[in-house]
Amino acid sequence: MKKTSKVLGLMIAMGWMTSAHADMAAVEANLARLKVPEGFKVEVYAEVPGARQMALGTSGTVYVGTRGNKVYAVVDKNKDHKADEVVTILDDLKVGNGVAMWDGHLYVAEQHRITRYAAPDFDLNLPFKQMREVIYDQLPDKAHHGWRYIAFGPDKKLYVTIGAPCNVCDPQGIEASIIRMDPDGKNTEVFAKGVRNSVGLDFQPGTNVLHFTDNGMDMMGDDIPPDEFNAAPQAGLHFGFPYVGGQDARPKDWQNKKPPQAVTPPVLGFQAHSANLGFKFYTGKQFPSAYQGNAIVAQHGSWNRSKPVGYQLMRVVFDENHKVKSNEVFIDGWLNDGEAWGRPVDVLQLNDGSLLVSDDYSGVIYRVSYGESTAAAPARGKSGHQAKVTGLKMPESAIAHPDGRIFVSEIGEFGKNGDGKVTVINKDGSRQTLAEGLNDPKGLDLFNNQLYVADVDQVVRVGLDGSKTVIAKPGDFQEKPVFLNDIEIDGLGNVYVSDSGDDNGKHGAIYQISPEGKVSQLINDKSGIKRPNGLLMDGPGKLLVADFGTGKLFQVNVAGKKASITLLNQGFGGADGLVRDTDGLLYVSDWAGGKVWQLIEPRVTPQLISTGHQSAADIAVSADGRFLLIPDMKAGELVPLPIK
């Protein structure tokens, strides 16, 4: 390599430079250099400076970490397999490399700590810095190998790679290990030891065994030790560092030192210094069947080898017993005549079975697809969120869990206490009762994997095990609650609930319940909103409010000492439900007229998209973003309306 190329490689390898950020026209032109198996195609999906680890949100948004101070959200609004928007959601991080999603929360691993952020899929404009929750702050705060990778396992634990702060040294504490912890950061333990610098981990389908890459030691020659692909079927195993690399390569000064326990050898050795980083076991249906269960591994490429190697994607094939059978190059061509124009970092599988590959050198994310069309969407009517659900007793509100389940509030007999319930509609269309003994349950929202229910004159939190807790009883409100209707929760955990009051709007109000349980009245029946109903966050400290009494749409700014109200639109009849889809389009339902409108923005002319419902109540969007879910209260149905 040329001297200048070696210097650049050293800067990147040491974390001093995260991206050369090549000109996009040059990247597009270089795609023709890639050697791709027949039937496959590689395209640029998004331009993301310094793109490193990636995580998939519930709505299809891709979250991307960097070795700098930023985390990005990549959005494909029109689902044309090319990003429409790249949003910087965090810009004050210390090596924000690792990202993972769990139960609607975004987890970010920095050099020194792990933080989480509630509900990023809900609104990318939420005040994430203010919402930051530090769940673990005991990571070694050292720059060398200080970029962390994270992933959740089948055991619902967060796994974190912690590189050794050196080339070869005696690690201290939790250095040179993989640790795991509960989603809240508790019960932390070392899962694997003797791991020099793992920057890729995934769990094998069929066995749930953790597999991880590990980068071998430098300065021992061009071809030793090999980079490693390891399997850890149980906790407590030692993988050799610093005593041994690969099967038997021992560094100078460690040849006569004995490991503290038996060393678990790698299940596969890669070319030394090829820098194997992120990988994913392929479980999609788009690629040919021979790719099922393969591990697709990103080789970042060597930085100090006399002849560069890597800069490609590898394919690891397993036999029927889930053991490594072979490995081969999947896609290469990022390295040409000793000069690299791209450096693959991480691999992410999208819902359609295609793969994304991040490249921190060119500052892009590629999409790898097979065939001329993506995997077919499931036929309508074959799952719970695509088929009409009948036989419900006055369904008022619905909300979709990220796993595809739908929760529906059933009032039962209106005005009769104790016969209301929350029903679960499973993905296969079956249903079960989650919670019963409610009065007239209406609005639902989901936060931290718990349901919140507006139930006439009280607010009830329902665990997904069916447990019920009253978080606001009638006496907690500033006025006697008459008709608690809709409920909305912001990213900080504040619960907003509307009271539609009586038929004339008396006692109409909007209340806020703080995470500590304090109830505050934000507006009352003198506000100009006659019968507050549907609520929807419209950015930090702002609520959209549907007025059931006048058919108007308002924005209420609750960030100041006194709430301010702005009229945005009107003509929605008995305005009830409000929801936005994954493209940001707004939907408003009319309970009295049985209609649903779509709006590009709250102030624009509404487009009528559905009519003929007996009473379109509190609408929601399915977990996959493809359907609007319309509870028809009088008809006793939950009606799916295709929107994508």
Side-chain angles (χ1 to χ4, degrees), residues 421-635:
K421 63 181 179 178
V422 175
T423 298
V424 184
I425 311 297
N426 297 307
K427 289 188 289 185
D428 62 1
S430 62
R431 69 184 78 172
Q432 62 197 72
T433 298
L434 175 67
E436 53 190 354
L438 299 169
N439 298 325
D440 287 352
K442 290 181 280 295
L444 299 176
D445 204 359
L446 188 65
F447 184 74
N448 280 349
N449 224 28
Q450 298 183 97
L451 280 171
Y452 289 72
V453 187
D455 189 19
V456 185
D457 58 1
Q458 62 181 356
V459 177
V460 182
R461 183 172 60 229
V462 178
L464 297 193
D465 59 356
S467 59
K468 294 181 296 184
T469 304
V470 176
I471 66 166
K473 57 186 183 297
D476 295 331
F477 294 85
Q478 280 70 31
E479 295 185 49
K480 178 183 177 181
V482 175
F483 196 83
L484 296 183
N485 209 324
D486 198 17
I487 198 164
E488 177 78 344
I489 306 175
D490 67 17
L492 299 173
N494 294 299
V495 178
Y496 300 90
V497 59
S498 61
D499 188 340
S500 295
D502 63 18
D503 290 345
N504 296 313
K506 188 176 180 180
H507 300 298
I510 296 176
Y511 296 93
Q512 180 193 72
I513 307 170
S514 73
E516 296 75 32
K518 180 183 178 181
V519 180
S520 305
Q521 187 181 67
L522 301 178
I523 65 169
N524 57 26
D525 56 10
K526 305 297 191 297
S527 69
I529 303 178
K530 184 176 181 181
R531 302 195 68 193
N533 193 347
L535 303 177
L536 182 66
M537 295 306 301
D538 194 37
K542 296 178 181 179
L543 282 169
L544 293 181
V545 181
D547 188 341
F548 185 80
T550 65
K552 295 179 179 179
L553 178 66
F554 295 89
Q555 183 191 73
V556 179
N557 189 330
V558 299
K561 291 184 178 180
K562 183 178 180 180
S564 60
I565 300 173
T566 304
L567 174 63
L568 301 180
N569 219 320
Q570 57 189 338
F572 299 107
D576 194 315
L578 298 173
V579 73
R580 277 196 175 93
D581 68 12
T582 55
D583 294 331
L585 299 176
L586 177 66
Y587 299 84
V588 183
S589 63
D590 171 6
W591 186 91
K595 301 174 182 178
V596 178
W597 287 270
Q598 180 189 74
L599 299 86
I600 298 175
E601 295 292 343
R603 293 180 183 270
V604 304
T605 303
Q607 304 299 316
L608 187 62
I609 63 170
S610 186
T611 62
H613 306 285
Q614 292 186 44
S615 51
D618 188 14
I619 51 180
V621 173
S622 63
D624 61 9
R626 295 174 53 228
F627 293 84
L628 196 66
L629 305 173
I630 307 171
D632 191 331
M633 185 187 295
K634 292 181 179 179

